[in-house]
Amino acid sequence: MNGTTTPEYPINVVVWGENRHEQVQQKVRDIYPDGMHTTIKEGIEENLGERASVRTVTLDDPEHGLTEELLTATDVLVWWGHAAHAEVDDEIVARVHRHVLDGMGLLVLHSGHWSKIFTKLMGTTCTLRWRSDEDRELVWTVDPTHPIARGIPHPFVIPAQEMYGEQFDVPAPDELIFLSTFTGGEVFRSGMTYRRGHGRIFYFSPGDQDYPVYHQKEVRRVIANGVEWAKTLRPERSTPTLLRYDREDFYNGHGYEGAMEN
């Protein structure tokens, strides 16, 4: 399939995993023996099948696995980080940021809210309330018509999870899809979309490393739906640029690409 109305398949997906908790915490290793990134990958494959080609890279790979060549070929990047946000090289963050503006899709999961790439794209602190206390989370569908909510029960229950609560210091989302509630009375905007440049971004909060959340079928379905949604429908990727357009010429911009360059 081609054009601007339907995505081309397979969608090239890269799951980026910090992969630190699995190395140092036996509890996490027991839940995710091959790493959370592998479990997330398997969930996407389980739901999308031949519609997705999925690979994984991790923080400790050369260039964090996020080479220019890889990102150029990536339709959607899925990001999970927590303990080592500061170790992500700023040059790599700038590279990912540029590719998102060009049109690469980005899914940011759980504590990736505090990653360098998400805070750079949001322009805020991205802080929130939290409590790691084996809480029950109810995930309510706010927008049942959205493609990311397709096939998701209303609500679905995560039996054990870390609590995230408001205020969540992010910009008002383009779309609010899921809202979570917890046993302490807290609420949290747990599924939101943004557009930055030509790129689509989906933030989804369930998924603390201490709990088997990424094995849960509803969570896996949400992430897979998010991958399909986040792939750009534009026929090619390009960064929005500032160009001069002469009268009666609607199609051929020229002159300069930056306000201070000419």
Side-chain angles (χ1 to χ4, degrees):
M1 286 182 276
N2 199 1
T4 59
T5 58
T6 56
E8 294 181 355
Y9 295 108
I11 302 170
N12 294 314
V13 185
V14 172
V15 178
W16 187 90
E18 186 180 272
N19 198 36
R20 288 293 172 82
H21 293 282
E22 300 93 321
Q23 306 303 317
V24 299
Q25 294 177 257
Q26 185 62 47
K27 177 182 179 180
V28 180
R29 192 157 51 244
D30 290 343
I31 298 171
Y32 300 107
D34 298 316
M36 277 179 283
H37 51 285
T38 300
T39 302
I40 294 167
K41 171 182 180 287
E42 291 169 347
I44 297 169
E45 293 172 331
E46 172 184 281
N47 282 276
L48 297 187
E50 294 182 354
R51 300 201 305 277
S53 174
V54 192
R55 63 175 294 180
T56 64
V57 294
T58 66
L59 175 66
D60 290 327
D61 290 335
E63 299 184 61
H64 309 323
L66 301 172
T67 64
E68 180 66 32
E69 293 74 17
L70 179 77
L71 292 174
T72 298
T74 298
D75 294 315
V76 180
L77 175 64
V78 182
W79 189 285
W80 194 100
H82 184 204
H85 294 315
E87 296 181 37
V88 179
D89 187 87
D90 290 341
E91 183 177 339
I92 305 301
V93 174
R95 181 184 299 167
V96 174
H97 183 265
R98 172 169 49 82
H99 277 276
V100 172
L101 298 185
D102 285 355
M104 183 181 72
L106 177 67
L107 267 65
V108 177
L109 303 178
H110 192 57
S111 45
H113 71 90
W114 234 14
S115 63
K116 288 182 177 180
I117 183 58
F118 192 64
T119 56
K120 183 178 179 70
L121 286 162
M122 296 297 105
T124 59
T125 67
C126 299
T127 55
L128 43 75
R129 295 189 180 201
W130 67 277
R131 177 179 63 250
S132 187
D133 196 23
E134 200 162 320
D135 212 322
R136 182 212 65 195
E137 179 175 357
L138 292 177
V139 182
W140 303 86
T141 301
V142 175
D143 184 359
T145 67
H146 198 283
I148 295 177
R150 186 177 65 251
I152 305 303
H154 174 65
F156 72 87
V157 182
I158 301 177
Q161 166 67 330
E162 181 179 37
M163 186 280 290
Y164 274 9
E166 298 289 344
Q167 179 201 5
F168 188 17
D169 183 27
V170 291
D174 294 332
E175 300 159 311
L176 176 62
I177 305 168
F178 300 111
L179 179 74
S180 289
T181 58
F182 297 85
T183 58
E186 298 88 0
V187 298
F188 189 70
R189 291 168 290 167
S190 52
M192 300 182 288
T193 69
Y194 296 91
R195 289 165 178 81
R196 294 291 185 268
H198 291 147
R200 293 180 170 187
I201 303 165
F202 175 48
Y203 173 77
F204 188 56
S205 66
D208 184 75
Q209 71 279 352
D210 289 334
Y211 310 104
V213 177
Y214 292 126
H215 291 287
Q216 187 166 334
K217 63 180 182 179
E218 297 90 348
V219 172
R220 290 158 80 97
R221 179 66 185 270
V222 169
I223 293 171
N225 287 350
V227 164
E228 283 200 293
W229 172 85
K231 185 186 185 304
T232 182
L233 301 182
R234 292 172 58 83
E236 61 183 26
R237 282 176 23 186
S238 62
T239 303
T241 55
L242 176 65
L243 297 173
R244 174 190 172 95
Y245 286 83
D246 294 329
R247 293 185 184 91
E248 305 303 326
D249 186 350
F250 306 113
Y251 307 107
N252 299 297
H254 62 89
Y256 53 80
E257 298 185 358
M260 302 300 292
E261 291 180 8
N262 286 345

